[in-house]
Amino acid sequence: MQDFNWKKLQNGSDIRGVAIAGVPNEDVNLTPAIAKILGQSFAIWLSQKLDKPTSDLLISVGRDSRLSGLELMQAVMEGITSLGSQVYDFAIASTPAMFMSTVTDGFNCDGAIMLTASHLPFNRNGLKFFTAQGGLEKKDITDILNLAEKNEFVISASQGNITKHDFISVYANQFVTKIREAVNHPDHYEQPLQGLKIIVDAGNGAGGFYASKVLEPLGADITGSQFLDPDGTFPNHVPNPEDKVAMASICEAVVKHQADFGIIFDTDVDRSAAVDQFGKELNRNRLIALISAIVLKEHPNSAIVTDSITSDGLAKFITEDLQGVHHRFKRGYKNVINESIRLNQSGQESWLAIETSGHGAMKENYFLDDGAYLVSKLLIELAKSKLAGKSLTDLIANLQEPAESEEFRIKMLVEDFKTLGEKVINNLQDFSSNQTDWQIVPNNYEGIRVSCTADDENGWFLLRLSLHDPVMPLNIESNIQGGVAKIANRLFAFLQPIDGLDLSAFQK
């Protein structure tokens, strides 16, 4: 392990690596041996954090459906128990469920680990860590990796025990209870979703439980639900609400089975999206608008914290139609969550932090980004709407949506890509300020956002640095057909003379 690059495993506030060989140029760096050390490192970190000996710790461990998950999970548990700590084995679980095991009576685990790499390809895997205070921060992961690199663990004479628990059923029942109480159906209290056909697409990830353990007990007809069985080869489509093929699949299923609602989860269920009865997507800006409408009915004047690429129409809808505060912040689910927490601490109520990716966290739910919680809030409103003879999507009838929306991912071909990216953004600020029909948008927290007011553009763009990769994502929206191409062409002409950029993304 002397030459092993532990830092390469860090991905912000998670750990991610290559767990399966066979993909060109992707060497395996997350092996069972590495996973065991990471289990030991987390136990030591937790012991220091809680000021408890490792022999007094109780840690829960779960995984998604990835092919490497079972072996890596076993290694993590061996690492933890080697230091005398007790382990609860939850088998296949969701990332939010793992956090909930730290705050649910009867479990109250000191810490939790989820083995997942979210929507990444089948050969990847990773670890997410939790305490009762929530997910770990970037610095915590750095500290855990430093402990792993030192590898100075004192093996306990008395090994800890591994006990299996069906926690996903406990977690699912929390939603069943919540939905029953919130809908409070006058005739069908136990089954408030009776008469509704709701389709779940789990993409062969960990979210299949929601159909059988939440929807069916509530009386919903789940006929047409698809890809519920865990399968780490992901044979049908990528479990990712941002993936066009995945969204097309759930939309098609809703129309084919004449369902009232469709739900799609990512691999580890911390993200979700939905589909209305007409097969229209309720994701990205539409999902944010819908949950914002629900939140602002419950908590008037709340700040809704979103990432930086939300549309102008959404901002107008939140501020003017819903009379809320739209706080557009940085990309990254931890960024929007921490900003929402910060606003609450500063005196501005903020009940929702949500990314266009489908990561949504609510103040009422520990600011946990939980895809199952998010759709449960939507289902409560769906059932109430049916009782009132209305449609759920009536809530977003006034949302103005762009005619076109596109993301271009501009690769940077130099080693010091951050310096190049910052130079490009600075130059673009100078260039944009000299364009009579472009205005730099104030109060922008990352990159540069510009409003494009020309009649044949009528939209905006945002150019920023990726959080981790040598890429500059460029998001463009326009309220007229052909507007994105007009804005893109002007930006291409600006970027073309700059060395070190791969502009092939513009060719599409």
Side-chain angles (χ1 to χ4, degrees):
M1 299 292 176
Q2 281 183 335
D3 299 324
F4 186 76
N5 187 353
W6 289 95
K7 291 182 178 64
K8 197 173 180 184
L9 291 175
Q10 179 153 8
N11 184 69
S13 56
D14 300 337
I15 282 174
R16 287 188 183 167
V18 178
I20 295 177
V23 177
N25 304 316
E26 294 195 10
D27 296 331
V28 172
N29 64 348
L30 187 56
T31 63
I34 296 297
K36 181 177 179 179
I37 293 171
L38 291 171
Q40 292 170 320
S41 303
F42 179 61
I44 294 294
W45 178 89
L46 194 60
S47 168
Q48 294 170 352
K49 197 82 174 171
L50 300 180
D51 195 22
K52 288 171 75 169
T54 53
S55 57
D56 288 352
L57 293 177
L58 172 61
I59 299 172
S60 59
V61 185
R63 65 181 177 93
D64 68 17
S65 58
R66 290 173 183 278
L67 299 174
S68 58
L70 184 60
E71 187 177 29
L72 291 179
M73 179 172 165
Q74 195 61 42
V76 167
M77 293 192 297
E78 284 175 13
I80 295 167
T81 55
S82 74
L83 303 185
S85 304
Q86 306 304 309
V87 170
Y88 282 173
D89 174 355
F90 288 169
I92 289 187
S94 74
T95 292
M98 297 312 300
F99 164 75
M100 289 303 295
S101 72
T102 69
V103 294
T104 296
D105 289 345
F107 289 85
N108 297 112
C109 299
D110 295 300
I113 301 175
M114 176 71 176
L115 281 99
T116 181
S118 189
H119 62 281
L120 291 181
F122 78 97
N123 67 320
R124 309 291 187 88
N125 215 326
L127 291 83
K128 293 184 178 181
F129 304 92
F130 297 94
T131 69
Q133 279 66 54
L136 269 55
E137 298 291 338
K138 186 176 179 179
K139 183 190 178 299
D140 301 323
I141 301 301
T142 301
D143 292 343
I144 288 170
L145 289 172
N146 286 338
L147 287 166
E149 190 167 17
K150 287 177 184 172
N151 197 4
E152 298 171 347
F153 307 112
V154 179
I155 303 305
S156 173
S158 175
Q159 297 251 318
N161 294 316
I162 299 173
T163 312
K164 292 183 183 292
H165 282 279
D166 177 21
F167 185 73
I168 202 72
S169 293
V170 176
Y171 167 73
N173 195 55
Q174 293 173 353
F175 293 121
V176 172
T177 302
K178 179 177 179 60
I179 293 169
R180 280 177 181 151
E181 290 175 353
V183 176
N184 196 20
H185 198 293
D187 303 316
H188 308 292
Y189 180 84
E190 290 291 312
Q191 296 194 317
L193 303 184
Q194 202 174 104
L196 289 168
K197 181 180 277 192
I198 301 170
I199 288 177
V200 174
D201 182 331
N204 301 112
F209 76 91
Y210 198 85
S212 59
K213 294 181 183 290
V214 180
L215 296 181
E216 280 193 318
L218 291 170
D221 177 357
I222 63 166
T223 306
S225 290
Q226 57 188 23
F227 320 138
L228 303 181
D229 294 331
D231 183 343
T233 64
F234 307 128
N236 297 291
H237 62 68
V238 177
N240 182 5
E242 286 192 288
D243 183 75
K244 289 178 180 177
V245 174
M247 285 309 300
S249 181
I250 180 66
C251 290
E252 185 183 319
V254 167
V255 172
K256 178 183 174 185
H257 295 279
Q258 297 181 308
D260 298 287
F261 201 61
I263 296 166
I264 183 168
F265 294 117
D266 77 339
T267 321
D268 60 328
V269 201
D270 61 0
R271 291 187 297 133
S272 60
V275 178
D276 71 14
Q277 73 266 38
F278 304 110
K280 189 170 183 182
E281 296 177 8
L282 294 170
N283 63 348
R284 300 180 67 81
N285 289 295
R286 288 170 63 79
L287 178 65
I288 297 172
L290 193 54
I291 191 65
S292 295
I294 293 167
V295 166
L296 285 163
K297 272 202 299 184
E298 297 171 348
H299 307 285
N301 307 313
S302 169
I304 308 296
V305 179
T306 71
D307 60 2
S308 58
I309 64 169
T310 45
S311 71
D312 290 344
L314 176 69
K316 183 171 180 287
F317 179 70
I318 290 173
T319 55
E320 295 182 16
D321 292 85
L322 302 179
Q323 298 294 297
V325 176
H326 182 210
H327 186 82
R328 193 186 272 133
F329 197 56
K330 300 176 185 175
R331 289 282 274 171
Y333 72 97
K334 288 293 283 186
N335 287 332
V336 294
I337 289 170
N338 288 342
E339 181 67 1
S340 190
I341 292 169
R342 187 192 69 79
L343 287 179
N344 280 294
Q345 290 169 346
S346 72
Q348 165 64 66
E349 271 201 342
S350 177
W351 285 81
L352 174 65
I354 185 165
E355 271 202 304
T356 47
S357 65
H359 275 290
M362 305 189 72
K363 182 181 177 183
E364 68 192 51
N365 188 45
Y366 306 94
F367 273 116
L368 175 66
D369 51 320
D370 186 344
Y373 193 92
L374 194 69
V375 296
S376 296
K377 291 286 286 189
L378 300 184
L379 289 176
I380 290 165
E381 203 62 32
L382 178 71
K384 286 180 175 180
S385 298
K386 190 188 178 199
L387 275 170
K390 295 179 180 178
S391 168
L392 175 64
T393 49
D394 289 347
L395 289 173
I396 57 171
N398 292 339
L399 175 66
Q400 295 173 7
E401 300 190 70
E404 297 179 333
S405 178
E406 197 68 58
E407 180 173 273
F408 304 83
R409 295 182 68 79
I410 302 165
K411 293 178 183 174
M412 292 178 281
L413 308 175
V414 297
E415 196 168 332
D416 187 7
F417 59 86
K418 287 200 171 172
T419 299
L420 173 61
E422 287 163 3
K423 176 189 164 190
V424 171
I425 287 169
N426 288 335
N427 290 353
L428 184 53
Q429 283 181 317
D430 294 338
F431 176 78
S432 300
S433 62
N434 290 319
Q435 308 298 302
T436 56
D437 55 355
W438 282 7
Q439 278 91 47
I440 297 173
V441 176
N443 304 322
N444 186 56
Y445 290 91
E446 63 177 343
I448 174 173
R449 187 178 178 115
V450 173
S451 176
C452 308
T453 59
D455 290 341
D456 60 351
E457 293 180 352
N458 191 0
W460 59 270
F461 70 81
L462 175 80
L463 182 69
R464 62 184 177 87
L465 275 166
S466 169
L467 294 175
H468 309 294
D469 303 316
V471 171
M472 298 189 79
L474 169 65
N475 293 88
I476 307 178
E477 282 192 2
S478 174
N479 296 314
I480 57 170
Q481 295 295 331
V484 165
K486 292 280 186 185
I487 297 168
N489 286 340
R490 283 175 76 175
L491 287 166
F492 180 80
F494 162 76
L495 294 166
Q496 199 171 23
I498 302 173
D499 291 333
L501 298 179
D502 175 1
L503 301 180
S504 58
F506 286 90
Q507 291 171 0
K508 66 182 178 180

